[in-house]
Amino acid sequence: MKKITFLLLMVSALATAQKSALDQKIKAVIKGKKATVGISVLDFDNNFEYNKNGDKKLPLLSVFKFHLASAVLDMADKGKFSTDQKFLIKKSDLLENTWSPLREKYPEGNVELSLGEIITYTVAQSDNNTCDFLLRLIGGTQTVQNFMDSKGAKDLKIQYNEDDMHKDWKNQYGNYSTTNSAVDLLKKFYDGKLLSKKSTDFLMQIMLGTTTGTNKIVEQLPKGTPVAHKTGSSGKPDNVLTVAENDMGIITLPNGKHYAIAVFVNNSTETEKVNTRMVSDISKIVWDNFNK
């Protein structure tokens, strides 16, 4: 019994030392920055957890498209939709002056896409028009909120679509989460507690193919590292303040193990380069922590 107690104390002491070292390095990155930075890390295999400002409710921006995609795929799991089902995207669905790779490819609209393709545009390319198409399809943001509530997601609110946030940038604060909530949700997703295995695998592959935010959590990781992530960015709607520069994801280590990380930069008056570099540097520090 004494030996077991001693070993447990040793493990606890090592974890404390690991967190302290990690904290010191992260503090050095954010020191002096005119921004609030929320950071959470959750090791899926060894129960290692770290957070700084992890309980602060921060705006999600396009990160909420992960929550939306999950709600849509839950409906597919229940037989309401199929990922192969085709939908007509009209020209009227393709609003101007918003981020939309689909509109760039099909400026006249009137194109049929499968639900799977629409989800891919929404998550991997963060298309705002396909995002709002999906929200209309499932009955709005409350449907997403209800689904997340049913799965025990905490400190999370989703109440505005992309068009709402473009009409009044202050609405961007209305969709929020804590970084602690974000990594907990990613763990549930990974464990198959959000969706069926088929839908989990489908969305995981889409997130692994994310093309946005290459200057965030993926930037300094070794080339080829599997990172299933979702980004969010506000720009500077008033030319002064960055509402959010976000990234969250599941990272696979060389040993095959996994961890979740969420870094949300909020209310920053720093440049985009400084904001994204903070996310990138923090991600690299965490990666190095797991690969000593």
Side-chain angles (χ1 to χ4, degrees):
M1 181 63 73
K2 287 182 179 180
K3 188 175 181 180
I4 293 172
T5 302
F6 176 74
L7 288 172
L8 288 173
L9 288 171
M10 285 292 292
V11 169
S12 177
L14 286 170
T16 300
Q18 186 181 12
K19 285 182 184 180
S20 178
L22 186 62
D23 192 55
Q24 290 303 312
K25 291 175 182 177
I26 288 175
K27 278 181 178 177
V29 171
I30 64 179
K31 184 179 179 181
K33 302 298 193 300
K34 297 171 184 175
T36 297
V37 186
I39 306 148
S40 294
V41 178
L42 179 60
D43 179 1
F44 288 0
D45 301 281
N46 298 316
N47 298 317
F48 175 82
E49 297 179 46
Y50 169 85
N51 82 83
K52 181 169 287 296
N53 295 323
D55 58 354
K56 284 187 177 291
K57 295 175 181 177
L58 303 176
L60 283 164
L61 275 295
S62 287
V63 170
F64 95 96
K65 292 168 183 169
F66 166 79
H67 305 75
L68 165 60
S70 298
V72 174
L73 287 169
D74 174 64
M75 286 186 159
D77 286 340
K78 292 172 178 173
K80 185 160 187 179
F81 303 117
S82 162
T83 53
D84 296 327
Q85 189 175 344
K86 296 280 189 176
F87 293 90
L88 178 66
I89 306 290
K90 303 174 184 176
K91 184 174 175 59
S92 58
D93 293 319
L94 301 177
L95 302 183
E96 299 291 337
N97 301 316
T98 192
W99 174 256
S100 181
L102 181 66
R103 188 195 61 239
E104 295 301 311
K105 186 173 182 179
Y106 302 105
E108 297 305 312
N110 297 317
V111 58
E112 279 198 341
L113 297 177
S114 71
L115 182 63
E117 289 174 309
I118 297 169
I119 294 171
T120 300
Y121 269 104
T122 300
V123 176
Q125 297 190 54
S126 209
D127 193 295
N128 292 335
N129 282 322
T130 56
C131 170
D132 284 1
F133 180 90
L134 288 175
L135 283 168
R136 289 191 294 273
L137 182 68
I138 67 172
T141 55
Q142 190 60 49
T143 302
V144 183
Q145 185 70 52
N146 291 344
F147 172 65
M148 286 293 147
D149 290 344
S150 75
K151 296 299 180 178
K154 297 178 180 178
D155 299 319
L156 172 72
K157 187 70 175 178
I158 297 173
Q159 55 187 326
Y160 293 113
N161 67 17
E162 286 290 350
D163 192 33
D164 291 332
M165 290 188 279
H166 280 76
K167 286 176 178 175
D168 184 349
W169 66 269
K170 292 179 182 177
N171 286 338
Q172 293 176 3
Y173 290 92
N175 292 354
Y176 61 76
S177 173
T178 66
T179 54
N180 284 345
S181 173
V183 295
D184 286 344
L185 190 63
L186 288 172
K187 179 66 162 61
K188 286 181 179 179
F189 169 63
Y190 178 82
D191 287 342
K193 294 179 180 178
L194 285 188
L195 302 166
S196 69
K197 186 180 186 308
K198 178 182 177 182
S199 290
T200 299
D201 291 346
F202 179 75
L203 184 52
M204 188 74 77
Q205 286 303 309
I206 290 173
M207 293 170 71
L208 285 165
T210 290
T211 58
T212 57
T214 56
N215 55 355
K216 297 182 187 178
I217 64 175
V218 301
E219 183 179 47
Q220 297 183 61
L221 303 188
K223 188 174 180 180
T225 298
V227 181
H229 66 128
K230 184 69 201 83
T231 63
S233 181
S234 68
K236 291 187 180 289
D238 64 352
N239 297 315
V240 176
L241 187 72
T242 298
V243 176
E245 197 70 75
N246 299 338
D247 205 353
M248 72 168 196
I250 298 168
I251 296 175
T252 304
L253 294 162
N255 62 10
K257 295 183 177 181
H258 302 82
Y259 66 91
I261 182 172
V263 185
F264 295 174
V265 178
N266 170 237
N267 279 351
S268 176
T269 54
E270 304 289 348
T271 64
E272 178 186 356
K273 185 176 181 180
V274 169
N275 290 329
T276 57
R277 187 68 184 192
M278 277 194 282
V279 179
S280 174
D281 284 345
I282 290 166
S283 176
K284 181 61 164 59
I285 288 167
V286 172
W287 170 270
D288 289 343
N289 177 75
F290 284 113
N291 288 279
K292 292 178 180 177

